[in-house]
Amino acid sequence: MLFKNKTVLLTALALVAICMSWAQNNPPEIIAAGNINYCPGSNVPIVSNVSITDPDTGDTTLDVVVIQISQGYSQGEDVLMLSNLQPNIIATWSAIQGELTLSGTASFSEYETAILAVVFQTSQTSFNEDKTISINLGNANYLPSTGHY
């Protein structure tokens, strides 16, 4: 159920961070979809589907995925969290940066499952702007407002 003037549009952006740690010419890529209306008081998934692939077919695992509320973040009110345990992945929330770090050496499939299990929650009751959520493979944080990592 959506409440008039109390909805937030969550947009999951699939962004690829170029990390020097990958030996291949092309790092793994992520494609995610999600354009979700938020219902106050609920936990909503940040994506409806996600796929991680490697164009060079060399990589099969990741060490870290960073998910950040990159626009519209309200510190102390907004939270991203992993809704269920993943055996090879640890979730760490940074309220200062509005970022959930998923870490641990795991397969692309395990990270896809983890990303699908990430939910957004807020105690906000009045919304002035949409929230944008960025998903980055690696430690680089992409900020749409600057267009830079």
Side-chain angles (χ1 to χ4, degrees), residues 12 15-16 18-19 29 44 47 94 101 104 111-112 120 128-129 138:
L15 303 169
V16 179
I18 298 172
C19 295
E29 298 173 349
V44 295
V47 297
S94 169
T101 301
Y111 270 102
E112 290 167 350
F120 169 80
N128 299 323
E129 64 181 313

Short mmCIF file of all heavy atoms in Angstrom, two decimals, residues 12 15-16 18-19 29 44 47 94 101 104 111-112 120 128-129 138:
data_model
loop_
_atom_site.label_atom_id
_atom_site.label_comp_id
_atom_site.label_asym_id
_atom_site.label_seq_id
_atom_site.Cartn_x
_atom_site.Cartn_y
_atom_site.Cartn_z
N ALA A 12 17.75 1.57 -8.26
CA ALA A 12 19.02 0.86 -8.16
C ALA A 12 19.80 1.10 -9.44
O ALA A 12 19.32 0.84 -10.53
CB ALA A 12 18.76 -0.63 -7.97
N LEU A 15 26.33 0.05 -11.33
CA LEU A 15 27.55 0.77 -11.62
C LEU A 15 28.74 -0.15 -11.41
O LEU A 15 28.79 -0.90 -10.45
CB LEU A 15 27.66 1.98 -10.68
CG LEU A 15 26.46 2.93 -10.77
CD1 LEU A 15 26.52 3.94 -9.64
CD2 LEU A 15 26.46 3.63 -12.09
N VAL A 16 29.68 -0.07 -12.29
CA VAL A 16 30.84 -0.94 -12.21
C VAL A 16 32.05 -0.13 -11.77
O VAL A 16 32.40 0.86 -12.39
CB VAL A 16 31.11 -1.61 -13.57
CG1 VAL A 16 32.34 -2.50 -13.50
CG2 VAL A 16 29.91 -2.43 -14.00
N ILE A 18 36.01 0.15 -11.38
CA ILE A 18 37.21 -0.43 -11.97
C ILE A 18 38.26 -0.54 -10.87
O ILE A 18 38.66 0.45 -10.29
CB ILE A 18 37.73 0.44 -13.13
CG1 ILE A 18 36.66 0.50 -14.22
CG2 ILE A 18 39.04 -0.10 -13.66
CD1 ILE A 18 36.96 1.47 -15.32
N CYS A 19 38.63 -1.75 -10.58
CA CYS A 19 39.58 -1.98 -9.49
C CYS A 19 40.89 -2.52 -10.04
O CYS A 19 40.90 -3.37 -10.91
CB CYS A 19 39.00 -2.99 -8.49
SG CYS A 19 37.55 -2.35 -7.66
N GLU A 29 31.07 -7.27 -14.46
CA GLU A 29 30.03 -6.27 -14.66
C GLU A 29 28.77 -6.69 -13.91
O GLU A 29 28.50 -7.87 -13.75
CB GLU A 29 29.70 -6.15 -16.16
CG GLU A 29 30.86 -5.71 -17.00
CD GLU A 29 30.56 -5.77 -18.49
OE1 GLU A 29 29.52 -6.34 -18.88
OE2 GLU A 29 31.38 -5.25 -19.26
N VAL A 44 11.96 -2.67 2.02
CA VAL A 44 11.76 -2.99 0.60
C VAL A 44 13.09 -3.40 -0.02
O VAL A 44 14.13 -2.81 0.26
CB VAL A 44 11.12 -1.82 -0.19
CG1 VAL A 44 9.72 -1.53 0.29
CG2 VAL A 44 11.97 -0.59 -0.13
N VAL A 47 16.58 -4.13 -5.22
CA VAL A 47 16.54 -4.56 -6.62
C VAL A 47 15.49 -5.65 -6.79
O VAL A 47 15.15 -6.36 -5.85
CB VAL A 47 17.91 -5.08 -7.13
CG1 VAL A 47 18.96 -4.00 -7.10
CG2 VAL A 47 18.36 -6.30 -6.37
N SER A 94 27.66 1.39 7.32
CA SER A 94 28.29 2.64 7.74
C SER A 94 27.24 3.74 7.65
O SER A 94 26.89 4.18 6.55
CB SER A 94 29.47 2.99 6.83
OG SER A 94 29.90 4.32 7.09
N THR A 101 28.53 -2.53 3.10
CA THR A 101 29.61 -3.27 2.46
C THR A 101 29.36 -4.76 2.66
O THR A 101 29.18 -5.22 3.79
CB THR A 101 30.98 -2.88 3.06
OG1 THR A 101 31.18 -1.48 2.88
CG2 THR A 101 32.11 -3.65 2.39
N GLY A 104 33.79 -10.70 1.65
CA GLY A 104 34.10 -12.11 1.79
C GLY A 104 34.25 -12.70 0.40
O GLY A 104 33.53 -12.33 -0.52
N TYR A 111 26.95 -13.55 -4.40
CA TYR A 111 26.78 -12.09 -4.29
C TYR A 111 25.44 -11.65 -4.89
O TYR A 111 24.79 -10.76 -4.36
CB TYR A 111 27.95 -11.33 -4.91
CG TYR A 111 29.04 -11.07 -3.90
CD1 TYR A 111 30.20 -11.82 -3.88
CD2 TYR A 111 28.89 -10.07 -2.94
CE1 TYR A 111 31.20 -11.58 -2.94
CE2 TYR A 111 29.88 -9.83 -1.99
CZ TYR A 111 31.03 -10.59 -2.00
OH TYR A 111 32.00 -10.35 -1.05
N GLU A 112 25.02 -12.28 -5.98
CA GLU A 112 23.70 -11.96 -6.54
C GLU A 112 22.60 -12.24 -5.50
O GLU A 112 21.70 -11.41 -5.30
CB GLU A 112 23.45 -12.77 -7.81
CG GLU A 112 24.30 -12.36 -8.98
CD GLU A 112 24.28 -13.35 -10.13
OE1 GLU A 112 23.75 -14.48 -9.97
OE2 GLU A 112 24.80 -12.99 -11.20
N PHE A 120 15.95 -1.74 1.99
CA PHE A 120 16.01 -0.35 2.42
C PHE A 120 14.92 -0.13 3.46
O PHE A 120 13.80 -0.62 3.32
CB PHE A 120 15.77 0.59 1.23
CG PHE A 120 15.56 2.03 1.63
CD1 PHE A 120 16.63 2.85 1.93
CD2 PHE A 120 14.27 2.55 1.71
CE1 PHE A 120 16.43 4.18 2.30
CE2 PHE A 120 14.06 3.87 2.07
CZ PHE A 120 15.13 4.68 2.36
N ASN A 128 11.50 14.67 0.43
CA ASN A 128 11.69 15.80 -0.47
C ASN A 128 12.36 15.40 -1.78
O ASN A 128 12.35 16.17 -2.73
CB ASN A 128 12.51 16.89 0.21
CG ASN A 128 11.83 17.42 1.44
OD1 ASN A 128 10.61 17.54 1.48
ND2 ASN A 128 12.61 17.71 2.47
N GLU A 129 12.99 14.24 -1.81
CA GLU A 129 13.69 13.80 -3.00
C GLU A 129 13.74 12.28 -3.05
O GLU A 129 13.57 11.60 -2.04
CB GLU A 129 15.10 14.37 -3.06
CG GLU A 129 16.01 13.91 -1.93
CD GLU A 129 17.41 14.52 -2.00
OE1 GLU A 129 18.00 14.53 -3.09
OE2 GLU A 129 17.88 14.99 -0.96
N GLY A 138 33.62 -3.86 -5.94
CA GLY A 138 34.89 -3.32 -5.46
C GLY A 138 34.66 -2.22 -4.45
O GLY A 138 33.53 -1.96 -4.04
#
